[in-house]
């Protein structure tokens, strides 16, 4: 498996690689990826969970115990629970969001997928997302997994980011370009 040097060099990347290797050996990559999605959602929805993972006032043992309880409630796999315990013991829980992103990247690379971040002025319909996914898959030659977000400041259109490539079809950018052209 070919990983980018950035993922391999970062602390979060090393933890994500280790977790991916363990999950691969156990045949539980999909389960762990699902667990990490649940954790990511939990971190964004629960201020208490986020505080638990970032507060230096929470001791290692308390954090580990609290995360075991959270993992049991969320129905996380045994490997993910043990991994969270390791992060707590090593005081690396603050790296959890970056580890989740790195794990996603590693898993996607293993499957031959590429992730595209799509920002639109208005929420996209399911049909629009599927059409865009098909066009991007044809353009990239690989399966494209879309992540969407809404930014009303775009006024209209889309901004698509795939790796280091950016396709900006937003009205805001077009208006800024027109304004610059009129100044010249």
């Amino acid at each position: 498996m070919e990983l980018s040097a950035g993922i391999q060099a970062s602390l979060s990347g090393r933890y994500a690689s280790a977790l991916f290797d363990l999950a691969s050996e156990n045949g539980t990559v999909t389960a762990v990826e699902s667990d990490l999605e649940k954790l990511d959602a939990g971190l964004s929805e629960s201020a208490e969970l986020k505080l638990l993972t970032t507060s230096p006032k929470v001791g290692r043992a308390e954090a580990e115990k609290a995360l075991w309880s959270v993992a049991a409630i969320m129905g996380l796999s045994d490997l993910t629970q043990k991994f969270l315990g390791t992060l707590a013991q090593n005081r690396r829980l603050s790296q959890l969001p970056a580890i989740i992103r790195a794990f996603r990247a590693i898993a996607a690379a293993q499957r031959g997928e590429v992730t595209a971040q799509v920002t639109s002025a208005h929420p996209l319909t399911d049909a629009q997302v599927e059409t865009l996914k098909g066009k991007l898959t044809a353009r990239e030659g690989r399966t494209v997994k879309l992540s969407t977000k809404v930014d009303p400041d775009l006024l209209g259109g889309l901004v698509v980011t795939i790796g280091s490539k950016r396709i900006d079809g937003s009205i805001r950018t077009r208006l800024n370009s027109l304004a610059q052209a009129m100044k010249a």
Side-chain angles (χ1 to χ4, degrees):
M1 172 175 62
E2 184 77 23
L3 293 178
S4 74
I7 289 177
Q8 289 177 332
S10 70
L11 176 72
S12 56
R14 290 192 304 271
Y15 274 97
S17 289
L19 179 60
F20 186 83
D21 290 344
L22 287 171
S24 291
E25 288 172 14
N26 295 336
T28 59
V29 173
T30 305
V32 170
E33 194 169 16
S34 173
D35 291 347
L36 293 178
E37 292 293 331
K38 291 177 193 174
L39 275 170
D40 194 32
L43 287 170
S44 62
E45 293 171 9
S46 171
E48 292 85 7
L49 182 59
K50 188 171 184 86
L51 184 63
L52 173 68
T53 62
T54 58
S55 176
K57 293 180 182 179
V58 179
R60 296 173 192 212
E62 294 88 12
E64 184 175 14
K65 186 176 177 184
L67 281 172
W68 274 81
S69 297
V70 168
I73 291 169
M74 290 179 141
L76 304 183
S77 69
D78 190 47
L79 177 60
T80 305
Q81 288 181 4
K82 289 178 182 175
F83 181 72
L84 291 173
T86 300
L87 290 179
Q89 287 301 316
N90 293 342
R91 289 211 164 280
R92 299 293 188 220
L93 286 173
S94 62
Q95 295 292 313
L96 191 54
I99 292 169
I100 292 170
R101 284 191 303 273
F103 189 93
R104 283 181 188 147
I106 293 167
Q110 183 69 20
R111 290 189 298 265
E113 292 178 350
V114 65
T115 301
Q117 174 68 48
V118 179
T119 307
S120 60
H122 305 285
L124 299 174
T125 65
D126 290 341
Q128 289 171 323
V129 169
E130 287 304 314
T131 301
L132 184 58
K133 186 185 285 189
K135 290 184 181 194
L136 290 174
T137 297
R139 183 178 191 266
E140 291 297 313
R142 297 186 279 177
T143 304
V144 176
K145 186 175 181 183
L146 292 183
S147 171
T148 61
K149 72 178 187 181
V150 176
D151 180 5
D153 292 341
L154 292 180
L155 303 176
L158 299 172
V159 177
V160 180
T161 307
I162 304 173
S164 62
K165 294 181 272 184
R166 182 175 209 145
I167 305 164
D168 192 339
S170 67
I171 293 176
R172 178 181 63 189
T173 300
R174 290 180 186 171
L175 289 173
N176 288 340
S177 298
L178 182 60
Q180 291 299 321
M182 291 175 69
K183 286 181 184 177

